[in-house]
Amino acid sequence: MKNPRRVVAFALVASTLLPLALRAQSVEQGIQLFDAKKYVEAREVLLLHGQGDASAAFYLGRIEMENGDGAKAVEWFEGAVRMNPKSAVYYDWLGRAYATQAQNVSLFKAPFLARKAKDALETGLALDPDNLDVRDDLVRYYAGAPGFVGGSKEKAGAMVLEIKKRNAYRGSLAAANLCAGQKDISCAERELTEMVTSYPDSAAVYASLAVLYTTLKQFDKAFVVLDKRLRAKPNEPMTLYQAGRTASLSGQNLDWGEKALKTYLANPAPDRGPAPAHVHYRLGTIYEQKGEKDLAREEYRTALQLNPKHKEAQKALAGLK
C-alpha cells in the first residue's frame, strides 16, 4: 500500500513544477515566434509572462523596438535588467531603447534620457568587456552625443581600436561607420572598399557600401555594388533587401527592386534583417512609384497586418489616392 504522505508530497511538488515547466515552454514558444519575425503572435504569448520572466520581458522590449516605440521598450528592458542585472545584452538593448526614446521627447527631457543610455551601455560593457555589440553602440553614442552628455570623438576612436583588437572585421566596420557618422565620406568609402577585398564573403560589407552610396544619393554606385554581389549570390537576403530599398528610395530600376524584394519574401526570414512588414512596405513604395496603386495598397495593408504600428505604412496608405 502506498504511503499517503508520500503521495500528497508528490502531488504538491508536481503541482509546483508543472506551471514552471509550462511557463518555460510558453516563453520559448514566444521566442521562436519572435525569431520567425511573427511579432504580433510572439507578443500575445510573451505578455503572459513578461512581469515575472526576464527573458520574456527582454523579447517584449525587442518587439516594441521593432514597432519603433522606445518608451514601451524601455519599460520592458528595465524590467528585464531588474530581474537579471548581470546581462550585458539586456543593458545594451536598454541603452538603445533610451536613445530611441530620446529622439521623440522634448529638448528638456532628451539629455536626461541620453545620459541614461550612456549609463546603460557602460554598465553592459563593465559586465562583459568583450561584447562587441555593446562596444559598437558606445562608438555610435560617443560619436553622436554632445559633450555635455558624455559624447567624445576621442572616446569613439579609442573604442574602435578596442574593437579591432578583439575582432579585425568588426573593428573595420566600426571604423567605417564612425567615418560616415563624422561625414568623412572618403574615409568611410576607403574602409569599406578595402573590406570588400579583405572580406569578399561578407554580405554586410557590400550592404554597408551600398547604404553609404544610397545615403549620398549616388544611386548608380549603389546599384553597381548590389548587382555585382547578386550575380555572385543571387539569393542573399541582405543584398536582396538593399536592392529593393535602393530602388524604392531612388525611383530607379523599379522592376529589379520589385523582383529582389519578392525573392526576399519567398525565402525563409533570415536571423538578421528587416522584418517582413518593412519589406512589404518597401514593395508598396515601389508599386506606388510604378503607378500600380492597387498593388501598393495591398502591400501597405499587409505591412500593417504584420505590424499595426508601422508608421511609414500607415502614412503611405493614408496618402494613397
Side-chain angles (χ1 to χ4, degrees):
M1 181 177 177
K2 294 182 178 179
N3 186 322
R5 292 183 180 179
R6 186 172 298 175
V7 171
V8 171
F10 176 80
L12 289 172
V13 171
S15 67
T16 302
L17 293 178
L18 185 58
L20 291 174
L22 290 174
R23 183 174 72 180
Q25 181 184 25
S26 187
V27 171
E28 184 60 34
Q29 289 172 346
I31 295 171
Q32 289 172 358
L33 287 167
F34 176 89
D35 289 340
K37 303 189 188 301
K38 296 180 179 180
Y39 300 127
V40 174
E41 296 94 326
R43 187 174 187 274
E44 291 177 357
V45 173
L46 293 169
L47 274 174
L48 299 172
H49 312 288
Q51 299 299 331
D53 186 285
S55 184
F58 171 69
Y59 278 96
L60 284 164
R62 293 281 304 273
I63 290 169
E64 295 302 341
M65 289 291 279
E66 291 289 339
N67 293 337
D69 194 330
K72 286 186 178 179
V74 162
E75 293 177 9
W76 287 117
F77 290 138
E78 286 180 340
V81 299
R82 279 196 300 271
M83 288 183 274
N84 181 4
K86 299 298 183 181
S87 172
V89 174
Y90 291 2
Y91 275 103
D92 184 27
W93 279 92
L94 178 58
R96 296 180 191 184
Y98 283 135
T100 300
Q101 187 182 12
Q103 297 172 10
N104 299 296
V105 297
S106 67
L107 292 176
F108 175 78
K109 191 174 182 181
F112 170 73
L113 289 170
R115 292 188 187 95
K116 294 188 79 170
K118 174 177 173 289
D119 290 345
L121 293 172
E122 290 181 341
T123 299
L125 183 64
L127 288 168
D128 183 3
D130 291 324
N131 188 309
L132 299 184
D133 291 336
V134 175
R135 287 187 177 275
D136 267 337
D137 288 334
L138 277 168
V139 170
R140 280 186 278 271
Y141 184 89
Y142 291 144
F148 72 92
V149 290
S152 166
K153 301 297 188 293
E154 291 76 17
K155 284 186 176 181
M159 188 64 70
V160 168
L161 293 178
E162 288 297 323
I163 295 173
K164 282 188 174 182
K165 288 179 184 178
R166 291 164 171 80
N167 186 305
Y169 169 80
R170 290 284 297 268
S172 295
L173 273 180
N177 290 332
L178 178 59
C179 290
Q182 294 176 338
K183 310 300 183 186
D184 189 344
I185 304 306
S186 61
C187 169
E189 185 176 21
R190 182 176 63 253
E191 288 280 353
L192 289 171
T193 52
E194 288 177 359
M195 288 190 75
V196 167
T197 301
S198 302
Y199 305 98
D201 293 330
S202 171
V205 173
Y206 288 89
S208 297
L209 186 56
V211 168
L212 175 66
Y213 288 140
T214 300
T215 302
L216 297 171
K217 299 189 183 305
Q218 296 179 8
F219 299 118
D220 289 345
K221 288 186 177 181
F223 283 124
V224 167
V225 170
L226 294 167
D227 181 62
K228 178 181 178 182
R229 183 64 175 176
L230 285 176
R231 288 179 186 276
K233 303 280 186 178
N235 290 312
E236 190 168 70
M238 187 180 294
T239 311
L240 286 167
Y241 174 72
Q242 288 303 329
R245 176 180 180 272
T246 304
S248 74
L249 291 172
S250 67
Q252 303 170 19
N253 294 322
L254 294 175
D255 289 342
W256 188 66
E258 175 190 349
K259 180 181 178 181
L261 292 179
K262 284 182 174 179
T263 303
Y264 180 98
L265 290 168
N267 290 309
D271 292 337
R272 293 190 176 186
H278 202 64
V279 183
H280 282 286
Y281 162 71
R282 285 289 176 202
L283 189 53
T285 65
I286 287 177
Y287 283 135
E288 187 171 357
Q289 292 179 82
K290 292 175 69 175
E292 299 176 5
K293 293 186 178 181
D294 288 342
L295 291 174
R297 191 174 289 108
E298 182 180 339
E299 292 300 327
Y300 294 147
R301 286 173 177 164
T302 300
L304 289 171
Q305 287 174 356
L306 294 168
N307 180 1
K309 296 183 180 181
H310 198 292
K311 295 179 181 179
E312 293 94 337
Q314 290 173 350
K315 183 177 179 180
L317 184 61
L320 195 59
K321 304 300 182 182

